[in-house]
Amino acid sequence: MLRSSQPLTGPNRKRCREDEKLLGTVLDEGERGFVIDTRSAQAAKQARMTGGGTEPKSSYPQWRRLHRSLERGRPLQESFIKLVETCNDTSITMDRWLSRLESCRWLSHVKAALSTACLAAQCMDREGASVLVHGAEGTDTTLLVTALAQVILDPSCRTLTGFQGLLEREWIEAGHPFHLRCARSAYSHARLKQEAPLFLLFLDCVWQLSRQFPFSLEFSERLLLTLFDNAYASAYGTFLCNNEKERCLCKVKENTHSLWAWLNQPGEKKKYLNPLYSPNTLVIWPSVEPQSIQLWQGLFFRWIRSSQYLDEAWAEIQRLVESN
């Protein structure tokens, strides 16, 4: 699996011999690869007017391009805001609740992200093909797809340590702009142009996987909630800045503590483990049918519904597992 930003072909369809040679070396003679573009075909075409574009078939004859449109900007942020407002309105009727839940379209974004990740995983697992994923800059929906595909395909990414490595590699080092995307929460009245909950969408998709495969992920929902909290407001430097260059200039590693170092302390680590975990070496194919996608109540209802009884139930499960 490869990831990149969009090729800069522009309106004149410029070629980049180095890119063509690089992608050519990935495939042997007679092999085919897939380019999964997380923009619509129309959006990719319009990007040529501002210098971007797509891979021309004539220059990349062994690669087949597939468009799977995923929202990454203002529409996604507005969807998040509407969902939070709906979940916090305890006075609405059942019909009104269902109507507002549908209109915010958050679950549709979850379904679309999982579907695209499954497509990438299927190309690799079932077709034995190489896959290149990109959107525009390659730091938003691109990372969403590549990270999810690895959780689906690779059992090591479903362990606590492996998942931390995945986040470090596919989100932090890859340059997801956390400072811009997670500058404010859904409760803020400010509507910042570049804010969008891409990382939250990823965590929600992982939660969907954990719900459908409750024994296959070593970490629990509590880890996902902690990661969400720290992406928006943290005492640690792990999610600070927008890229590695900024973190180096700000000397983040020298001046802050790592979230991973805290999570991996023996006393803390135990809190984030799934007591039902049983290593699964198989690929986990999630259902993306509408009936299978559920609202992440542990996150979106956490401020209006106590998790006391659920926490006590998990503690009891953990005690029973350890006693055996």
Side-chain angles (χ1 to χ4, degrees), residues 1 3 117 121 143 145-158 166 169-170:
M1 179 179 287
R3 52 175 162 75
L143 307 183
V145 173
T146 58
L148 280 175
Q150 289 177 68
V151 176
I152 291 169
L153 290 170
D154 188 353
S156 69
C157 291
R158 303 194 288 264
L166 176 75
R169 179 178 69 251
E170 295 298 317

Side-chain angles (χ1 to χ4, degrees), residues 155 158-159 214-219 273-280:
R158 303 194 288 264
T159 65
F215 305 106
S216 296
L217 277 66
E218 187 185 24
F219 49 89
L273 294 176
N274 174 13
L276 302 178
Y277 175 63
S278 178
N280 178 5

Side-chain angles (χ1 to χ4, degrees), residues 131-303:
V131 173
L132 168 64
V133 183
H134 71 65
E137 291 84 6
T139 55
D140 289 297
T141 52
T142 300
L143 307 183
L144 174 65
V145 173
T146 58
L148 280 175
Q150 289 177 68
V151 176
I152 291 169
L153 290 170
D154 188 353
S156 69
C157 291
R158 303 194 288 264
T159 65
L160 181 60
T161 301
F163 190 66
Q164 291 176 23
L166 176 75
L167 297 181
E168 189 71 30
R169 179 178 69 251
E170 295 298 317
W171 287 93
I172 298 170
E173 293 177 356
H176 180 64
F178 281 97
H179 178 68
L180 291 174
R181 300 292 184 263
C182 304
R184 305 288 180 91
S185 72
Y187 289 101
S188 172
H189 293 293
R191 295 292 191 267
L192 303 182
K193 184 177 180 181
Q194 299 196 57
E195 182 143 12
L198 269 302
F199 187 61
L200 168 58
L201 183 58
F202 167 72
L203 295 177
D204 197 327
C205 290
V206 174
W207 178 82
Q208 303 288 337
L209 290 172
S210 72
R211 190 189 59 79
Q212 294 189 28
F213 300 92
F215 305 106
S216 296
L217 277 66
E218 187 185 24
F219 49 89
S220 66
E221 178 187 46
R222 185 171 184 175
L223 175 70
L224 302 177
L225 294 172
T226 299
L227 291 170
F228 165 75
D229 291 340
N230 281 272
Y232 280 88
S234 181
Y236 303 90
T238 302
F239 296 115
L240 288 180
C241 302
N242 293 309
N243 50 53
E244 284 296 289
K245 179 180 179 181
E246 288 187 10
R247 281 185 279 274
C248 288
L249 291 174
C250 295
K251 296 183 178 180
V252 168
K253 290 185 178 179
E254 292 85 351
N255 296 326
T256 68
H257 295 287
S258 166
L259 174 63
W260 313 133
W262 173 64
L263 288 177
N264 290 325
Q265 295 177 95
E268 288 295 324
K269 184 176 181 179
K270 182 180 177 181
K271 301 175 184 177
Y272 301 97
L273 294 176
N274 174 13
L276 302 178
Y277 175 63
S278 178
N280 178 5
T281 60
L282 301 176
V283 176
I284 54 173
W285 296 111
S287 169
V288 293
E289 294 299 320
Q291 300 91 332
S292 300
I293 307 299
Q294 294 191 9
L295 181 65
W296 185 5
Q297 297 186 28
L299 173 65
F300 294 112
F301 289 158
R302 67 192 296 201
W303 292 282

